[in-house]
Amino acid sequence: MRGTFAYCAPEVANDIELSPTAIPGLYTAKSDVYSLGIVLWELIRRVVDGRYSKPWYSEYEIAANMDFTILLQAKRGARPSLASSPFEAPAAGTAPPCVAQLYRDCVNGVIEQRVTACQFLESMVEMAQQYVSNRELWALYYRTPPVGSSPPAITVGSTCTNTMSVTPPSPSKFSPLATPM
């Protein structure tokens, strides 16, 4: 097995079989989606809390030299928690319901019920459109206000097909595409 345990889908561990169609130890698109879900958790926690939070470690009291216990927790169905609150009553330090649902769909214990990468992208584009149309509402989820006077602006313009063609947003002064590598 290879990878970082905090981001590793439970079925990738050689002795864990969580689905009749899963081959233990095999990396698949669905195991990648699980990892993407953990990254989404990190991003959302950083946005709503205003600081970095390492997945698994503080919530499950995992020592740095005991990384393998993350896989044991995941095998038992545990996942890093992500509190959410409805758009009708946003609470600082929680995630919007659509974001929390996408996270749960990525880390679902039933492999076949995880979203695909294409569905993930489509959900992200839809959420970006919701954010653009109502930044002030989304800002109510932040525990600390974002740097600057208003929530950050984003450009929405991605599409997804079975071939995963993505139309990136045009470069801006905040985009890594704006500066030559």
Side-chain angles (χ1 to χ4, degrees):
M1 186 174 73
R2 301 180 312 261
T4 304
F5 291 147
Y7 305 89
C8 187
E11 68 272 10
V12 172
N14 289 330
D15 66 338
I16 301 174
E17 187 172 332
L18 299 174
S19 165
T21 61
I23 301 170
L26 181 67
Y27 285 88
T28 66
K30 294 288 185 156
S31 63
D32 289 342
V33 166
Y34 177 95
S35 301
L36 190 58
I38 300 296
V39 171
L40 177 64
W41 180 93
E42 281 184 293
L43 293 170
I44 297 308
R45 290 298 301 260
R46 183 160 194 148
V47 168
V48 300
D49 289 340
R51 61 183 170 76
Y52 177 72
S53 183
K54 197 171 183 180
W56 296 98
Y57 291 89
S58 60
E59 185 172 356
Y60 293 97
E61 298 178 5
I62 296 172
N65 63 343
M66 301 293 283
D67 284 353
F68 69 91
T69 60
I70 291 171
L71 290 176
L72 298 174
Q73 293 287 348
K75 180 180 178 180
R76 294 181 188 122
R79 303 290 186 269
S81 63
L82 184 62
S84 67
S85 59
F87 281 118
E88 298 80 31
T94 65
C98 53
V99 175
Q101 185 60 53
L102 179 58
Y103 162 69
R104 287 189 296 273
D105 291 344
C106 288
V107 298
N108 194 314
V110 179
I111 299 163
E112 294 80 12
Q113 292 179 10
R114 288 183 197 151
V115 295
T116 64
C118 194
Q119 290 167 327
F120 178 88
L121 179 60
E122 289 167 352
S123 294
M124 292 296 292
V125 168
E126 185 178 314
M127 286 186 284
Q129 291 167 341
Q130 291 174 15
Y131 170 81
V132 167
S133 68
N134 202 343
R135 291 182 192 149
E136 291 74 25
L137 175 64
W138 283 66
L140 296 174
Y141 289 93
Y142 302 154
R143 190 178 308 274
T144 56
V147 176
S149 58
S150 64
I154 58 172
T155 304
V156 180
S158 297
T159 59
C160 187
T161 65
N162 288 336
T163 58
M164 284 302 295
S165 64
V166 176
T167 306
S170 57
S172 73
K173 66 180 183 176
F174 300 107
S175 169
L177 300 175
T179 55
M181 297 279 183

